[in-house]
Amino acid sequence: MAERSFTQEVEKLRLGEGDEFRGEGILAVTKALLQAGVSYVAGYQGAPISHLMDVLTDANDILRELGVHFEHSASEATAAATLAASVHYPLRGAVTFKSTVGTNVASDALANLASGGVMGGAMLIVGEDYGEGSSIMQERSHAFAMKSQVWLIDPRPNLESIVRAVELGFELSEASRTPVMLELRIRACHVHGRFKTKANLRPSFTLKDAIENPRRDTSRVVLPPASYAQEQEKITDRWPAAVKFIQARGFNEFFAEDAQDFGIVMQGGLYNSVLRSLEMLGLADAFGQSRVPLYVLNITYPLIDDEFKRFCLGKRGILLVEEGQPDFIEQSLNSLLRKADVQTKVHGKDVLPMAGEYTGGVVLKGVARFIEIYAPQLLEGRELPASAQKASTGLALMEGNPKAFAIKAASDEVQGRPPSFCTGCPERPIFTAMKLLERELGQHHISCDIGCHLFSVLPPFNIGATTMGYGLGWAGASAFNTPETQKRTIAMMGDGGFWHNGLTSGVGNAVFNQTDNLLLVVDNGYSAATGGQDVLSSKAANAIRSTNNPIEKAVRGVGVKWAKTVTNTYSLTQMRDVLREALTTKEKGPKVIVAQSECQLNRQRRIKPQIKKRIAGGERVVRERFGIDPDTCTGDHSCIRLSGCPSLTIKPNPDPLRRDPIATVIDSCVGCGLCGEVAHAAVLCPSFYRAEIINNPSAWDRFKLGLRTRVIGWLQNRIERRLEGIAA
């Protein structure tokens, strides 16, 4: 159950020749694949490309009509290896995953694919997750393209350019016998626009044709001595073929080339930011007409020497807008110009930051600094936006600018907002149980993994020391497998990470090396952190995938003897008891706890429409909510410290004699009950109560409500009368 359904939008994929497509970038990419005659698509979900997998899933019927095979890969390595179908056969194939973590995982398969080369077009669509909105280490995909010699496409973020990049990308791959990587930033994935469509193409050479007529060419197998020849072929044949194709088809773009004796070169994905900066400086209009020469690198690897020399000749200086580090393109450009004896000065990281996302404000500031160096007269008489002001370059902060001061004052008030668990998340009680157990057994070294459970590193839980990659939670604790202590380490892993890599790299490794430590697998029923896609152990029935494969059965299958499944993580007592047993048992060997409860976010997506339909149909529906009695709450806040639920907060104490704010439950509560359990486990708190909200109540419900109201009213009136008597 993905977080978003595209069942209605995918009908746009049926648009034919000359129709107009309107929609989102991810959907446009899918349409472009079908127009290009793709034969097979595979991939692994991950931001910002997760929705591409969701679109393909919802469009499975359309894909089958065209004879296109689609599958969810077990990992990014599996996806990249799928492109082997294009090595010997004229089959166009595409795979998708998150970068750079996915590219890390896929690098071995990618290197082999690039070494042998391809016959059919092979495309990797990677979601470039670099910058402030990222959840990963900050690295670029560019290094992987250079390492393995895979051509890197970075199109301008509009639908026409993206669709053109997909279509030309397959042609480039075939012309140079080299796989290509299409890099899509988050803005490109979710940009909206329109383009004229073409008819979808059914592959002329099908997977069936390949299976029934197998081919082999040992010169394409990565095995000496063929591998040595492949390395030479990359440079002598494939590179020149790629350069020739890129130039002939005008893959890169020039705008206002001779407008000034200086210019700007940029990665295609940053085109919108650069153009918007020029517009704010009065050097471009809203329709894309620039007064400054622009060279847009829709292909950032390989670089085209002749195009650079053409753009730089006659110019005093150029600005290279290259996001992130190292400055691969800038270094190559300086080398290229010096060898060609072109004396154009190159600016880049001297006016722009060496690292970090090039947001609109960052690009605006850098472009303004560059223009001030070469044509300050173009900025005369303009009141520069606050984000472009920089005292160190003469763009002094404008005194008395109320807008600038208002922005700064607002920024000073904004607090950091670290990621946290959703309301009612079934993972929160797992870490609450671990914190409570610390009181008995002390602290343990905890090795984390990628996924929602990584939020436990932050307050209020403050659990976890390291994270080494998706599915590597237990592998990250493997060095601590020593008989010199009786204390056990704890490793965490999600169900998505378990099936991705953890079963072999974590569980298999622990069994083989006879570890005596503990693995806690958080089984919330989905690959929740990537958007709620199904995995092997999902409970839901899936029409095109196999689900309901238990994790406990899998770990026992590779040799784990001590394995237990907790089917309700919200039972704090049950979670704490099984953790205690795993950490104190005399039994030796690897131990695995599978902690099951459905992802609350997915559960709400599933049940809310059902509840709404039942209520509309007149059915009796009971929903649970929790609350806190303000007169009873002591202001201890243990419930908040040991739960951290977003629906738990504080409000002023109604008792004028007490100063501590009391806890309160807001309307976002989903009735999981953890807060009450936490409070009781912590301080035996009596202030929590459970309430039932009944829609379409029965006559018996109404009678009980009336009776309760009268009894409570009578008791309250008795108290009031007694107090009045005392006062008299």
Side-chain angles (χ1 to χ4, degrees):
M1 180 190 227
E3 67 181 29
R4 181 177 170 189
S5 172
F6 290 86
T7 51
Q8 294 182 347
E9 289 97 326
V10 295
E11 288 303 312
K12 296 177 182 179
L13 300 178
R14 299 184 186 276
L15 292 174
E17 190 73 35
D19 292 333
E20 184 176 73
F21 174 98
R22 292 174 180 259
E24 193 176 9
I26 288 294
L27 201 62
V29 170
T30 312
K31 174 59 177 167
L33 291 173
L34 300 183
Q35 291 180 175
V38 71
S39 296
Y40 62 95
V41 189
Y44 192 87
Q45 59 274 355
I49 210 75
S50 292
H51 285 337
L52 181 52
M53 297 298 291
D54 300 333
V55 167
L56 290 164
T57 299
D58 289 336
N60 194 59
D61 290 343
I62 298 174
L63 300 181
R64 285 181 173 175
E65 290 171 11
L66 293 168
V68 179
H69 173 66
F70 163 64
E71 66 177 49
H72 287 260
S73 305
S75 71
E76 296 86 354
T78 308
T82 303
L83 290 172
S86 295
V87 170
H88 295 299
Y89 305 99
L91 296 167
R92 286 186 170 183
V95 299
T96 182
F97 42 75
K98 175 191 183 83
S99 195
T100 55
V101 287
T103 316
N104 288 335
V105 174
S107 60
D108 193 22
L110 185 54
N112 280 278
L113 181 74
S115 183
V118 295
M119 175 183 290
M123 177 176 291
L124 299 104
I125 304 170
V126 298
E128 187 73 351
D129 197 14
Y130 181 93
E132 295 176 358
S134 172
S135 61
I136 59 168
M137 80 297 285
Q138 295 295 274
E139 293 184 347
R140 297 166 58 192
S141 301
H142 200 103
F144 285 95
M146 295 171 63
K147 176 187 75 68
S148 298
Q149 189 166 307
V150 174
W151 311 137
L152 183 59
I153 306 173
D154 188 2
R156 288 195 290 141
N158 64 71
L159 297 196
E160 287 185 346
S161 295
I162 293 171
V163 170
R164 179 173 180 264
V166 172
E167 295 173 339
L168 286 182
F170 278 118
E171 294 179 28
L172 171 61
S173 177
E174 291 164 345
S176 61
R177 301 194 64 188
T178 302
V180 300
M181 185 182 295
L182 176 65
E183 177 183 67
L184 296 177
R185 293 170 173 83
I186 188 168
R187 292 180 182 87
C189 291
H190 301 302
V191 68
H192 281 69
R194 59 187 178 182
F195 67 93
K196 290 293 182 183
T197 62
K198 300 176 184 176
N200 295 333
L201 294 180
R202 186 177 182 87
S204 56
F205 187 88
T206 67
L207 292 167
K208 178 177 180 292
D209 294 330
I211 295 169
E212 295 179 352
N213 300 278
R215 303 175 186 174
R216 60 189 297 270
D217 179 356
T218 55
S219 68
R220 302 270 64 84
V221 179
V222 186
L223 182 71
S227 53
Y228 309 139
Q230 291 162 9
E231 180 69 4
Q232 294 298 320
E233 183 186 274
K234 283 183 177 182
I235 302 303
T236 58
D237 296 338
R238 299 189 213 166
W239 191 300
V243 170
K244 181 180 179 181
F245 179 90
I246 292 166
Q247 289 181 291
R249 300 302 296 273
F251 218 137
N252 297 321
E253 298 172 285
F254 297 87
F255 299 97
E257 191 173 355
D258 300 317
Q260 306 286 345
D261 62 352
F262 59 90
I264 302 176
V265 182
M266 74 217 69
Q267 295 165 297
L270 298 179
Y271 170 82
N272 288 2
S273 298
V274 172
L275 196 68
R276 175 62 173 160
S277 297
L278 290 172
E279 182 187 352
M280 294 182 74
L281 295 172
L283 300 176
D285 62 25
F287 301 99
Q289 300 300 314
S290 174
R291 293 171 55 194
V292 176
L294 305 177
Y295 175 33
V296 182
L297 301 176
N298 293 314
I299 296 276
T300 54
Y301 182 79
L303 301 177
I304 310 302
D305 294 9
D306 289 345
E307 290 185 354
F308 267 107
K309 286 185 283 187
R310 163 188 157 186
F311 185 75
C312 293
L313 280 173
K315 291 184 173 60
R316 291 179 293 147
I318 63 168
L319 171 64
L320 176 59
V321 185
E322 176 187 7
E323 185 176 55
Q325 59 86 27
D327 50 347
F328 297 116
I329 303 176
E330 187 171 342
Q331 293 179 37
S332 298
L333 177 55
N334 273 302
S335 175
L336 183 162
L337 295 181
R338 297 300 83 83
K339 289 178 180 178
D341 198 25
V342 176
Q343 299 307 310
T344 304
K345 184 171 178 57
V346 177
H347 296 271
K349 301 301 185 183
D350 56 335
V351 297
L352 286 160
M354 183 66 187
E357 182 181 0
Y358 281 5
T359 60
V362 169
V363 173
L364 175 59
K365 188 183 297 182
V367 170
R369 293 174 68 182
F370 173 71
I371 299 296
E372 189 192 36
I373 294 171
Y374 286 92
Q377 70 277 7
L378 295 179
L379 302 179
E380 288 179 1
R382 293 195 59 81
E383 185 178 284
L384 300 176
S387 55
Q389 297 159 11
K390 186 75 174 180
S392 62
T393 60
L395 299 176
L397 183 65
M398 295 180 295
E399 295 183 4
N401 184 338
K403 185 177 180 181
F405 285 115
I407 292 173
K408 184 178 185 306
S411 299
D412 291 342
E413 293 296 320
V414 175
Q415 301 297 311
R417 186 172 180 265
S420 184
F421 297 101
C422 301
T423 301
C425 176
E427 300 185 15
R428 188 179 286 109
I430 297 171
F431 304 111
T432 298
M434 293 171 71
K435 292 299 288 185
L436 292 173
L437 203 58
E438 279 185 3
R439 298 178 178 182
E440 300 177 33
L441 305 178
Q443 292 187 339
H444 292 74
H445 175 84
I446 298 176
S447 176
C448 300
D449 205 314
I450 304 300
C452 297
H453 46 277
L454 190 57
F455 302 156
S456 63
V457 171
L458 304 172
F461 301 114
N462 302 302
I463 285 176
T466 55
T467 177
M468 289 292 104
Y470 198 34
L472 296 178
W474 214 358
S478 56
F480 299 107
N481 181 24
T482 173
E484 296 178 5
T485 176
Q486 297 301 310
K487 199 162 191 176
R488 290 171 176 138
T489 64
I490 304 173
M492 295 188 295
M493 193 183 296
D495 44 0
F498 175 85
W499 293 113
H500 175 277
N501 190 28
L503 179 59
T504 52
S505 298
V507 181
N509 181 71
V511 171
F512 185 65
N513 288 289
Q514 299 180 328
T515 186
D516 189 38
N517 294 318
L518 169 64
L519 171 67
L520 176 64
V521 182
V522 181
D523 182 8
N524 58 31
Y526 308 90
S527 185
T530 64
Q533 294 81 12
D534 285 336
V535 293
L536 274 163
S537 50
S538 294
K539 298 288 187 184
N542 189 311
I544 61 174
R545 300 288 177 259
S546 172
T547 53
N548 282 284
N549 298 286
I551 291 175
E552 183 178 331
K553 186 176 180 180
V555 301
R556 289 188 181 278
V558 296
V560 174
K561 301 294 191 294
W562 197 104
K564 297 196 175 183
T565 298
V566 177
T567 56
N568 179 20
T569 63
Y570 295 106
S571 174
L572 202 54
T573 303
Q574 187 180 3
M575 276 306 315
R576 183 173 54 179
D577 289 349
V578 74
L579 279 165
R580 183 191 294 113
E581 182 183 352
L583 293 171
T584 59
T585 179
K586 299 297 183 182
E587 185 177 339
K588 298 296 182 181
K591 296 157 189 66
V592 176
I593 297 173
V594 182
Q596 288 182 341
S597 277
E598 184 180 11
C599 166
Q600 190 64 234
L601 206 59
N602 269 37
R603 182 175 183 273
Q604 292 302 314
R605 293 191 191 105
R606 179 171 58 80
I607 68 172
K608 277 185 176 180
Q610 298 172 358
I611 291 174
K612 185 177 180 180
K613 183 178 180 180
R614 290 172 59 196
I615 292 173
E619 289 186 49
R620 178 181 181 271
V621 176
V622 181
R623 291 171 292 151
E624 289 188 348
R625 292 291 184 273
F626 282 77
I628 297 173
D629 182 356
D631 295 322
T632 310
C633 179
T634 63
D636 173 79
H637 304 155
S638 290
C639 54
I640 296 175
R641 292 196 305 273
L642 288 170
S643 168
C645 180
S647 66
L648 270 175
T649 186
I650 58 174
K651 68 178 183 180
N653 200 313
D655 189 339
L657 299 179
R658 292 190 294 170
R659 300 174 60 186
D660 293 332
I662 61 171
T664 187
V665 180
I666 59 177
D667 290 341
S668 61
C669 172
V670 295
C672 72
L674 174 62
C675 52
E677 281 219 27
V678 168
H680 284 266
V683 292
L684 203 61
C685 177
S687 59
F688 278 85
Y689 63 83
R690 180 176 63 85
E692 291 183 346
I693 302 173
I694 304 176
N695 292 87
N696 302 319
S698 64
W700 176 242
D701 292 324
R702 296 178 188 279
F703 172 77
K704 287 190 294 183
L705 176 63
L707 180 61
R708 288 168 181 162
T709 301
R710 288 192 294 273
V711 172
I712 292 171
W714 180 80
L715 292 173
Q716 287 177 331
N717 290 335
R718 188 182 64 168
I719 294 172
E720 293 293 332
R721 288 193 298 271
R722 186 178 65 183
L723 292 175
E724 289 174 2
I726 294 173

